[in-house]
Each structure stands twice: as C-alpha cells, then as structure tokens.
Amino acid sequence: MNLQEMETERVRELLGRAVDDVRTPRGRGSEAVFAQASRLRWRRRAATTGVTAAAVAAALVLGPGLLDDEGRGTSVAGRPTAGEFTSKAGRFAKLLPAGTGRVSEVSLLRLVKQVPKAPLPKPVGPYDGDYAVSRDGGVGYISVHLSTAKEIKAKTGGLGLQDPCKDSPRDGTVDCTSEKLPNGNVLGIHRTGAPDPGTYPTWGPELVATLRLADGGVLHVRANGGFQGKGQLGPLLKTPPLDRDQLRKLTLNPKLLP
C-alpha cells in the first residue's frame, strides 16, 4: 500500500464513515474475486476525491467559539466546527463515565480540512457524530457512526461483517479482542499502533470498538487522544478519553441505536 492509500485509509477510519474492510475468505471463487474488486474500486474512488491525510479524523471537543471560518477565534454558531455545547453533546455526555472531561460537538471533517461549510453525512443513529473531550489541558475525541446492513453489504461486496477481528484486520491494528454476545451481536475492540512517521496530521493513542449487529449493521465507536496539525484544538491526551472497559460499555449502550 502506497502512502496516499495509507492516508486515505486513515481518513476513512477516523471519520468513521465506512466499515473496516472485510477480508474475503480464500477459496470462495468468483464471489471472492468480485468482493475484492468492489473494495478496490471503492478505495480508488476515495483516493481520487482529494481526501488526503490532512482530512484525517474522527472525534471532537472543546468549548464554543474557538475558530471562525478562517481560524481566528470567533464563535461559529449553528455549525459544529470548533466545538459547541449543543443539546446533543449534553445528552451524549450523560452516557459517559464521570470524569471523562468536558464534552462538545464538532465536525472533524470540517475541523481538520478547515472547511466550515463542508456538507455533513446524514446520521443513522441518534448520537452519530464527533465529540471533543477536553481534560487535563488536552483534547481528545470520541466518534460514533452507525452503518446500516445495506451500506455494509455495498462496501464489502455483499459479504457483510462477521467477526470484527478476523474479517477486517488492517495494518496498525493491535490487541484485537472479539466477543460474541447473547443477542447475536459480535463486539471487537482494538487499539491502533503508532502511526508511520510520514503521516499527517499526527494522531494520539486510539481505541476502536466495532459492534456487528445481528441485522448486519455495524456500529463504530472510536476514542482518540487527539491530533497535532492544522486545525487542532489542543495538545494530545496521554491516553484515549475512554479506556477499554469504558469504551465497551458505551458501545453496548442501546441508546446509541435507533
């Protein structure tokens, strides 16, 4: 994988707008070939849209009025770019453990790319979006994204996601654990290894939870220690805003689902 493809993959992960690639089992004949071709076409389309590592993201936080359209520090009311204390952010904060930090709503797509009016994807779940978490002088992010079964099938050549650890391994995935739940859902949690030296922006430590739902949909919840680069809201956190157990509890909260 070349640098551009690696950067595009990072963007896709952090923005949470797509499910992890599903590795097609060997020996499935034409079905495997078509699934692989479908994923390759999707990656090439993403790479040619101009979304580069500068657009990398997937999380949010800090107080309102940090950046204006040109990053000078004026309020950006009505469009979550620099961090807004919306009612949605307030409700989301109540789902987090005490001491998590100060939570506000942002759009990492707009923040990292510095495009305040960039169109945002339509949410599927009630808490889909990016949230900034400010604590201990640093800023980290929590991102939530729910993909429908139809979206997952379209992105995986119709195969869907079975086991988040076995079906969607990728470079940089470390300590992935998989758990089959009584209701038929499968939860995978992994941490992301240190980024390559040449990547931009520089991202902090990250934990990722992937919940494959019984109906074929997938819920992604990412807890990232922040980023350093254009548009950053503050220094990196030393650890992700949620630990592994806290991330598991949040991901399994039924309030994240419609």
Side-chain angles (χ1 to χ4, degrees):
M1 181 180 293
N2 60 36
L3 179 58
Q4 183 182 24
E5 290 175 323
M6 291 174 65
E7 292 173 339
T8 301
E9 286 293 304
R10 179 63 170 165
V11 172
R12 182 169 61 83
E13 280 194 332
L14 294 175
L15 289 174
R17 293 309 307 163
V19 68
D20 291 336
D21 288 336
V22 176
R23 181 177 56 185
T24 307
R26 296 181 180 177
R28 294 192 64 173
S30 61
E31 184 182 55
V33 173
F34 285 122
Q36 183 177 5
S38 175
R39 291 194 297 274
L40 180 59
R41 287 195 300 272
W42 185 87
R43 287 179 177 177
R44 286 175 175 172
R45 286 197 298 271
T48 57
T49 59
V51 181
T52 63
V56 175
L60 36 148
V61 74
L62 265 200
L66 295 177
L67 296 173
D68 63 355
D69 290 8
E70 298 179 5
R72 288 192 297 261
T74 322
S75 179
V76 198
R79 41 183 204 270
T81 301
E84 297 176 10
F85 296 104
T86 61
S87 59
K88 180 180 175 182
R91 294 192 303 272
F92 183 73
K94 293 179 181 179
L95 305 181
L96 303 176
T100 298
R102 189 185 191 196
V103 177
S104 59
E105 186 178 4
V106 300
S107 163
L108 282 169
L109 173 63
R110 293 173 173 179
L111 180 63
V112 179
K113 294 189 70 176
Q114 293 289 282
V115 183
K117 295 183 179 181
L120 300 178
K122 183 178 180 180
V124 177
Y127 290 100
D128 279 13
D130 303 320
Y131 304 87
V133 179
S134 177
R135 74 180 186 210
D136 301 329
V139 179
Y141 305 91
I142 300 174
S143 290
V144 179
H145 175 63
L146 176 64
S147 296
T148 65
K150 183 178 180 180
E151 290 174 321
I152 298 303
K153 288 182 179 180
K155 288 180 172 68
T156 61
L159 296 177
L161 181 70
Q162 299 303 316
D163 188 313
C165 287
K166 294 180 180 179
D167 293 344
S168 56
R170 63 173 65 255
D171 294 341
T173 296
V174 182
D175 296 336
C176 190
T177 59
S178 182
E179 175 185 2
K180 188 170 183 179
L181 306 171
N183 60 5
N185 296 344
V186 180
L187 175 65
I189 299 179
H190 72 267
R191 63 183 177 89
T192 302
D196 292 333
T199 59
Y200 178 88
T202 300
W203 289 88
E206 181 182 60
L207 285 170
V208 181
T210 302
L211 180 65
R212 191 224 62 188
L213 304 172
D215 67 359
V218 173
L219 174 66
H220 274 112
V221 182
R222 301 176 183 276
N224 188 280
F227 71 92
Q228 291 180 321
K230 185 178 180 180
Q232 72 181 79
L233 296 179
L236 300 177
L237 295 178
K238 294 181 180 180
T239 61
L242 299 175
D243 64 27
R244 207 176 186 101
D245 289 339
Q246 292 170 337
L247 179 61
R248 178 185 184 278
K249 184 176 181 180
L250 174 62
T251 306
L252 296 182
N253 192 322
K255 291 183 178 181
L256 296 187
L257 303 177

